[in-house]
Amino acid sequence: MAILEKLHRKDQEAFPEGSSPPRCATPGAVKIPSRAVLRPTASRRGDLLIYLAAAAIACILLFRFRGFYHDDAYITLRYVERLFAGHGLTWTDGEPVEGFTHPLWLAQLAVLGWLGIDLPTASRGLGIAYMAALFALWRLAGATPSLLLLVATQPGLLLWTLGGLETTSFCFWLAAAAWSVQQACEATTRAKRGDARCRAAWAGAALAAAALTRPEGIGAGILALMWMAIRTRARSTLAAVGVFGFAVGAYEAFRLVYYGDLFPNTAYVKLGGSATSAVSAGIEYLLRSRAVWVPGAVAAAVALAFVRRGRPLGMLWVAVPVVMSLLIAGGDHMAGGRLVLPALVVLTFAAAVGGAAQGFRRPSAVGLLAVGVAALQVQVALAFPATRDPAAAVGEPIGRYLQRHLPAGALVAAATAGSTPYFAPSLRFIDTLGLNDRYIARRDVQQLSTPWQRMPGHRKGDGEYVLRRAPDVIILGPAEGVVGADARAWFLTDLELLASPEFGARYRPYRFSVSVTPTQAGWPAVARLLDDSGHLPLVAYLREGSVAARPFASLGLPLRSPSRYAASVEQSSIATVAVRAGSDGDASCTWSLSARLP
């Protein structure tokens, strides 16, 4: 009896009143209390304070970036609008072309639009929801809260949360996939076979969601499944492969049937030229955006190195295709380093998961580093341009003007493929950069003739093809158009049109005065273009004899066409142009691009 009383006293000391010891459901499967239960109450309160602080900072910075929205987001919104209008999943009338790379993001926007939510608002709300989902994922994984500060203050991620594109969504799905794969691998040794297969199936679903959010997700899925094949049982791997293959394969079958292509049309536009030049452009992209991503990447890498043992390096496999794709495609022209952000979030999340599971060798140093880098990122965010993308800002009033004054079905050729077409839903368009045009996308361009062609997505064009289509209106260069005195200043299609005698004979430039609302006049990109009367000038070429363009021409002022284009093209060997794109880490909205041309 004395022995039993002694054992009872030890049990009471180990498990106070109101608690119970862990139970073993089956031999070898021990129910372990969660980390949250094992932590002292004071530690849990500290974690809660960190979560609240991270959320508060993120909300403040999101409010700071509330004015940002990118023109490319309107491309997706036009597909959704035309789907609702009964025109199918198309960008314009005619042969269907897949000018988007994020079918899952588009599907979610379609659901929100079907529920009656304004599409631009839906895209911004969805970005905020995915930012909140990253917080929830952090909590669900029991990851180190202090490292969440690196994500909550990441300027590029916050910028693109409101930018209308899928960046934050892809960051979430990639991080969720990395953690799910890690969980599936760990379940092989400590869980029932059925539970292990269930975890593997969830991993396959998360990988599929990432693959349907961005093309890089397909590469991430393949590498992750290969890692699972090495680390898990065959049945678990097959469960993951089955879910991933079914979802991705189903959409690929739809793409082949509906669009007749193996890849999205944008892949043909962006991939071209030598691999060396693409990698060089990708490295330049990383260097140009270094103020956005380098501090967080260094802090996350140091934190991962400080994990005591058993670092979750397998989680990093999903980030490899993101970096490789960035280098192969050469980056892009958009602000905020958006293409590198998913890899950065995964690296930070892996360090947070590893630190929570195994502990850090110097936890106080990791915490101080996270706080210091978070403060630095806040400074970068506060100095970051937070205005609407120039093409989106100018393209909206231009699109509305064309919608009001051109008859339904009129054909417009323009390089601004987002806002202008979105706000002119009754018109047909030719995307002169080829993102939404199969013919231009597949043209083999051997050399660069304008500085803008160095930018991914701006390499292609075809003036002869555009002339064959005989558009009623042609807008050269930016959304507001240019006469084209410098034939090489903008895009390849512009250069070839200006050098064509047929274009000079068939088209004449006009200047139009576009009214803008007080809100639009407050956008910096619009404000700097307004004339003395407060109107936005639009320069457009109208086709002689066009029934659609004739009444439109009466609203404008005829301009003198530039002469001797061919001579100016032959004599120009170096061009310098102010490229109106976001400058990472710079309060200015312009940066200079110089290129020696053949």
Side-chain angles (χ1 to χ4, degrees):
M1 291 294 294
I3 294 175
L4 292 175
E5 289 177 359
K6 186 175 181 180
L7 291 173
H8 180 66
R9 283 197 301 272
K10 288 186 176 181
D11 286 342
Q12 286 182 326
E13 294 172 358
F15 304 97
E17 184 177 355
S19 65
S20 59
R23 293 177 296 174
C24 298
T26 57
V30 180
K31 182 70 174 179
I32 302 175
S34 67
R35 298 188 191 97
V37 173
L38 295 177
R39 276 204 199 99
T41 302
S43 178
R44 295 201 300 273
R45 288 176 179 172
D47 291 351
L48 178 60
L49 288 176
I50 293 174
Y51 274 98
L52 291 176
I57 295 171
C59 289
I60 293 171
L61 293 179
L62 284 173
F63 183 78
R64 163 80 172 77
F65 289 138
R66 67 191 183 281
F68 179 74
Y69 201 78
H70 201 275
D71 187 71
D72 281 22
Y74 286 113
I75 296 177
T76 304
L77 302 189
R78 180 169 166 94
Y79 276 90
V80 176
E81 283 282 18
R82 287 181 59 81
L83 179 65
F84 290 160
H87 302 304
L89 206 55
T90 60
W91 183 79
T92 193
D93 294 348
E95 186 180 13
V97 177
E98 186 182 11
F100 56 90
T101 57
H102 40 239
L104 181 59
W105 177 257
L106 186 150
Q108 293 169 98
L109 290 177
V111 170
L112 294 176
W114 179 74
L115 293 174
I117 302 175
D118 173 66
L119 286 178
T121 302
S123 65
R124 292 159 72 89
L126 197 56
I128 294 173
Y130 270 110
M131 189 66 180
L134 275 172
F135 277 66
L137 178 65
W138 222 271
R139 181 67 184 89
L140 181 64
T144 305
S146 60
L147 293 181
L148 180 61
L149 292 170
L150 299 177
V151 173
T153 60
Q154 167 48 241
L157 183 62
L158 294 167
L159 183 78
W160 284 105
T161 294
L162 298 175
L165 290 176
E166 76 292 339
T167 303
T168 305
S169 170
F170 186 52
C171 289
F172 167 78
W173 286 118
L174 205 64
W179 183 59
S180 299
V181 169
Q182 180 75 11
Q183 291 290 100
C185 292
E186 291 177 356
T188 300
T189 58
R190 61 176 172 78
K192 298 178 182 179
R193 290 186 178 182
D195 184 42
R197 287 196 295 272
C198 182
R199 289 177 181 270
W202 278 112
L207 290 168
L212 294 176
T213 303
R214 274 201 65 83
E216 302 95 301
I218 297 177
I222 293 172
L223 278 183
L225 292 173
M226 291 173 62
W227 176 256
M228 288 182 64
I230 297 172
R231 298 294 302 275
T232 65
R233 299 185 183 98
R235 290 187 177 181
S236 296
T237 302
L238 287 175
V241 170
V243 175
F244 177 82
F246 175 79
V248 176
Y251 184 76
E252 183 62 34
F254 166 79
R255 174 184 287 150
L256 282 170
V257 172
Y258 194 80
Y259 293 112
D261 293 318
L262 282 172
F263 307 104
N265 195 65
T266 53
Y268 299 96
V269 174
K270 295 180 179 180
L271 298 179
S274 68
T276 303
S277 62
V279 172
S280 176
I283 294 173
E284 180 184 348
Y285 171 81
L286 290 174
L287 292 175
R288 193 172 69 244
S289 59
R290 62 187 179 276
V292 174
W293 65 270
V294 166
V298 170
V302 170
L304 187 62
F306 277 3
V307 173
R308 291 184 182 278
R309 64 181 184 277
R311 301 182 186 92
L313 298 179
M315 293 178 64
L316 301 182
W317 281 111
V318 300
V320 173
V322 174
V323 179
M324 294 301 296
S325 175
L326 183 159
L327 294 174
I328 293 172
D332 66 14
H333 66 286
M334 301 180 191
R338 74 182 189 104
L339 297 182
V340 74
L341 295 177
L344 176 60
V345 170
V346 169
L347 175 62
T348 308
F349 188 46
V353 169
Q358 305 297 338
F360 295 106
R361 287 198 298 273
R362 297 180 181 177
S364 59
V366 171
L368 289 174
L369 178 64
V371 172
V373 171
L376 176 61
Q377 291 187 152
V378 170
Q379 293 299 315
V380 173
L382 293 176
F384 216 78
T387 59
R388 185 173 291 237
D389 170 63
V394 179
E396 178 177 338
I398 296 299
R400 293 184 186 277
Y401 186 80
L402 296 176
Q403 173 71 13
R404 284 196 304 271
H405 298 294
L406 282 174
L411 183 60
V412 179
T416 302
S419 54
T420 298
Y422 176 75
F423 289 103
S426 70
L427 306 182
R428 298 178 298 132
F429 282 85
I430 301 173
D431 181 353
T432 59
L433 291 175
L435 292 172
N436 299 279
D437 190 283
R438 178 175 280 104
Y439 186 90
I440 294 177
R442 284 156 179 75
R443 182 186 179 186
D444 184 18
V445 177
Q446 294 295 330
Q447 65 179 15
L448 305 183
S449 302
T450 75
W452 272 93
Q453 286 182 272
R454 295 183 61 221
M455 291 188 176
H458 296 75
R459 183 184 183 89
K460 303 293 182 70
D462 196 318
E464 182 182 353
Y465 162 77
V466 172
L467 285 175
R468 286 203 307 270
R469 294 282 304 274
D472 302 293
V473 179
I474 297 179
I475 300 175
L476 302 180
E480 71 274 13
V482 292
V483 175
D486 182 356
R488 290 182 183 259
W490 288 91
F491 309 120
L492 178 59
T493 296
D494 304 340
L495 172 64
E496 294 180 344
L497 286 174
L498 291 168
S500 168
E502 182 183 357
F503 176 74
R506 294 174 58 190
Y507 287 84
R508 185 176 183 182
Y510 287 78
R511 183 186 185 277
F512 301 88
S513 293
V514 178
S515 299
V516 296
T517 65
T519 299
Q520 293 168 346
W523 296 335
V526 174
R528 68 179 184 80
L529 294 174
L530 297 180
D531 57 23
D532 294 338
S533 63
H535 288 81
L536 175 66
L538 164 64
V539 175
Y541 278 80
L542 308 187
R543 180 165 58 87
E544 298 286 350
S546 167
V547 175
R550 187 179 301 117
F552 187 51
S554 63
L555 302 173
L557 175 68
L559 300 176
R560 182 181 177 186
S561 300
S563 60
R564 304 185 64 81
Y565 291 116
S568 67
V569 169
E570 292 173 359
Q571 293 171 6
S572 178
S573 60
I574 298 180
T576 302
V577 58
V579 178
R580 297 185 302 146
S583 174
D584 295 322
D586 188 352
S588 170
C589 289
T590 64
W591 53 278
S592 181
L593 170 66
S594 298
R596 181 169 294 276
L597 306 173

